[in-house]
Amino acid sequence: MKKLFAVVSAVLMMMPFLAGLNASALNFPLKSQIQSESAIVINLDSDVVIHEKNADIQQMPGPLVNIMTAVLCLENCENLNEEITINSAVYSGLDAIQYPEDLRYADIKDGDILTVSDLLYAMMLTSSVEASQTIASFVGNGNVGTFVEMMNSKAAELGLDATHFANPTGMYDTNQYTTARDMAKLTKYALTVPLFETISSTQQYTPSVPNFDNHPSLKDWIWTNSNLMMDQSSEEYYYSGAKGIKTANLTAAGRNLITTASRDGNRYMVVLMKSPLKDADGDNQFYHLEDAISIFDWAFEHFSYKVVLAASAEKDEVAVTLAEGNDYVLAKPKEEVSLLWYDEIDTSLIKSDGDNITLDQPSFQAPISKGQRLGELKLTYSGEVLGSVELVAVSDVKRSASKYNIYAAKKFPKSEWFNKAIMISTVLGVIYILLCIYSFLRFKSNSKPVKSVYAMPKVPKKKKKKS
């Protein structure tokens, strides 16, 4: 009974996504429970969500905000090789924050000379507050507050409606919040920004500008990505194919993680927020990494693309008038439909006929060309519209000359041309009558009386002779 209930629950929770179709997101059920309070899982190849958990609950992002800091820097700095002399006064005041233990440093010293690119690597790999605060000051023309305004303007531009930024470092602030869904939107956008993916997916980086005064041994000044899933020496958390993108820890808000993984041509992104920092015994735990590994294993094992609608599938008979032969044409999908599908849900449950078909018009008039659009077919599951595909004619349909002539003859009295002919004939008739009247009047006015000289002489009657 429990197994049956689990299957039914899985079916009710599932959400398919159509490759090449516009689809809306619902949930596929995870195989195991995760510790993170909020989560969203996206297949980046088809841009579809395959699972979400409390994705719209506002959480504190922590250094996940460095993603926005990096985006604004990359979009507003023309020369990433420009050198900046570090001024510790820009970030020294951060020690006074409520949770100073959240501060992360990259061993950057006052007077160090680093390029903008160096600072981006330090921030994205280590959550360096020296780097993030310096970048914000540099891009904001010396004013971190100006940069924060830029962050919120960009958030509005990207449609991050449930997000508000208060600082570029990600340090604790009750006025700084976001959601897993908004972070997914931001990260997908960031991955389109040149160099962002390269920077955020780098395992180790050494500053490009030597600073021997403060760092005599440059080989010891190496920044390592804080995502242990990229570290091959980590037997417990290393995950083949995992990359970046950002880790974030806050004492008051738990652990956050955004990372991607690729395998067999499939690529997924996971956003996890508010994972517990410690277990019940008070020991440090990396539940966010465990959750990510569990989710990736689930996605790679249970999802694949399946053809759910063949391009040759005949879905309807569409009425055709004036046809030579059959008075209908068969309709089929314009193209094959593939679906990123959960292997525990039967694809036969997807409906793609009957009430799901909408024709552009009740019937069509011959001739019909093969491949001509006839309407649209929606694919649905449990009443949810998954997407749609065009329906087109399977073959040509020729027009019958005799049927068309009869149709044209019947149609002509009601046609626009007939009305025009009547109108033109009426106008021409009126014009003709007017011309006749005009000609008559003109002729009459030109007629003159005949003078007597031209008249026939009067012949007198002959008198009778008297006898």
Side-chain angles (χ1 to χ4, degrees):
M1 187 67 181
K2 289 183 178 179
K3 185 177 290 186
L4 176 61
F5 178 76
V7 171
V8 172
S9 298
V11 171
L12 291 175
M13 292 175 64
M14 92 78 193
M15 166 57 194
F17 282 89
L18 301 174
L21 300 180
N22 294 325
S24 56
L26 294 177
N27 255 337
F28 284 111
L30 291 175
K31 278 290 188 180
S32 57
Q33 186 177 0
I34 59 174
Q35 295 290 325
S36 300
E37 186 174 291
S38 295
I40 193 165
V41 187
I42 303 173
N43 180 286
L44 292 176
D45 306 300
S46 54
D47 192 24
V48 295
V49 176
I50 61 171
H51 178 77
E52 59 182 62
K53 173 188 176 183
N54 300 326
D56 297 309
I57 290 181
Q58 289 180 330
Q59 308 283 10
M60 200 168 290
L64 293 185
V65 304
N66 292 162
I67 296 173
M68 178 62 88
T69 304
V71 165
L72 290 174
C73 180
L74 290 167
E75 291 185 337
N76 289 278
C77 295
E78 296 181 0
N79 181 15
L80 296 181
N81 293 318
E82 184 173 350
E83 295 181 351
I84 298 175
T85 300
I86 301 301
N87 180 0
S88 61
V90 172
Y91 54 83
S92 59
L94 295 176
D95 293 334
I97 64 173
Q98 186 171 352
Y99 297 98
E101 62 270 28
D102 290 336
L103 295 171
R104 297 290 179 269
Y105 294 98
D107 195 25
I108 297 174
K109 308 294 185 183
D110 188 56
D112 278 343
I113 297 175
L114 296 170
T115 66
V116 175
S117 180
D118 290 337
L119 291 168
L120 284 168
Y121 277 97
M123 177 181 69
M124 292 303 296
L125 272 57
T126 73
S127 300
S128 162
V129 292
E130 313 106 306
S132 56
Q133 196 80 347
T134 299
I135 288 172
S137 177
F138 178 73
V139 177
N141 295 317
N143 191 325
V144 174
T146 298
F147 185 83
V148 173
E149 290 177 3
M150 293 172 64
M151 295 173 73
N152 286 308
S153 294
K154 190 68 176 182
E157 177 188 325
L158 297 177
L160 311 183
D161 299 329
T163 296
H164 185 268
F165 295 109
N167 61 63
T169 61
M171 293 302 98
Y172 177 85
D173 192 313
T174 55
N175 200 33
Q176 183 151 262
Y177 48 82
T178 188
T179 65
R181 194 182 309 281
D182 275 4
M183 280 293 102
K185 288 181 185 179
L186 172 60
T187 305
K188 284 195 297 180
Y189 174 79
L191 290 171
T192 69
V193 177
L195 294 179
F196 176 85
E197 185 172 4
T198 299
I199 294 170
S200 63
S201 300
T202 295
Q203 170 62 14
Q204 288 189 329
Y205 182 83
T206 299
S208 60
V209 181
N211 290 266
F212 293 116
D213 290 341
N214 291 330
H215 310 277
S217 179
L218 197 59
K219 67 178 182 178
D220 294 330
W221 200 27
I222 298 174
W223 300 323
T224 302
N225 199 306
S226 57
N227 185 356
L228 293 176
M229 295 175 68
M230 299 172 60
D231 186 358
Q232 294 189 35
S233 66
S234 174
E235 296 182 3
E236 187 174 2
Y237 298 114
Y238 174 70
Y239 196 87
S240 179
K243 289 186 176 181
I245 292 175
K246 196 75 195 73
T247 64
N249 303 327
L250 284 181
T251 301
R255 303 187 195 276
N256 300 333
L257 172 68
I258 301 178
T259 187
T260 66
S262 301
R263 185 185 298 174
D264 300 328
N266 291 308
R267 189 184 185 202
Y268 291 91
M269 180 174 74
V270 172
V271 179
L272 299 166
M273 303 191 75
K274 204 172 183 180
S275 170
L277 289 165
K278 302 178 184 295
D279 61 17
D281 298 325
D283 297 325
N284 285 330
Q285 294 294 331
F286 298 101
Y287 292 123
H288 61 322
L289 300 180
E290 294 175 9
D291 288 348
I293 291 170
S294 173
I295 289 171
F296 283 141
D297 283 344
W298 167 75
F300 289 127
E301 180 181 352
H302 292 284
F303 286 84
S304 61
Y305 287 96
K306 296 181 181 180
V307 176
V308 296
L309 189 62
S312 59
E314 296 173 352
K315 304 305 296 183
D316 198 11
E317 289 185 1
V318 181
V320 179
T321 61
L322 309 183
E324 185 178 277
N326 293 330
D327 57 356
Y328 66 88
V329 64
L330 295 174
K332 69 179 188 66
K334 183 179 180 180
E335 56 196 357
E336 180 181 273
V337 177
S338 293
L339 177 66
L340 182 67
W341 192 257
Y342 188 39
D343 62 7
E344 295 194 359
I345 305 297
D346 193 343
T347 57
S348 65
L349 296 174
I350 299 173
K351 293 184 178 181
S352 60
D353 50 21
D355 295 336
N356 291 21
I357 294 174
T358 303
L359 298 177
D360 291 344
Q361 53 195 64
S363 65
F364 290 78
Q365 189 181 102
I368 299 293
S369 300
K370 180 179 179 180
Q372 178 179 327
R373 176 188 165 95
L374 301 175
E376 186 177 75
L377 169 64
K378 291 181 180 179
L379 287 88
T380 62
Y381 173 81
S382 275
E384 293 290 336
V385 178
L386 309 177
S388 61
V389 64
E390 282 188 42
L391 285 178
V392 298
V394 170
S395 59
D396 293 332
V397 179
K398 294 182 179 180
R399 183 169 63 190
S400 168
S402 59
K403 289 181 181 179
Y404 180 74
N405 289 338
I406 295 172
Y407 165 80
K410 292 180 178 179
K411 200 78 174 174
F412 184 70
K414 299 179 181 179
S415 68
E416 183 181 350
W417 284 108
F418 181 78
N419 293 332
K420 288 182 178 179
I422 293 296
M423 186 180 299
I424 292 172
S425 299
T426 302
V427 172
L428 290 176
V430 171
I431 293 174
Y432 176 75
I433 293 172
L434 292 175
L435 286 174
C436 288
I437 294 173
Y438 173 77
S439 299
F440 173 76
L441 294 175
R442 184 70 182 268
F443 173 77
K444 187 175 181 180
S445 65
N446 288 338
S447 298
K448 297 180 180 180
V450 180
K451 294 182 178 180
S452 58
V453 67
Y454 298 111
M456 183 177 292
K458 187 176 180 180
V459 181
K461 294 182 179 181
K462 292 182 179 182
K463 294 181 180 182
K464 296 182 179 181
K465 293 180 178 181
K466 295 178 179 182
S467 57

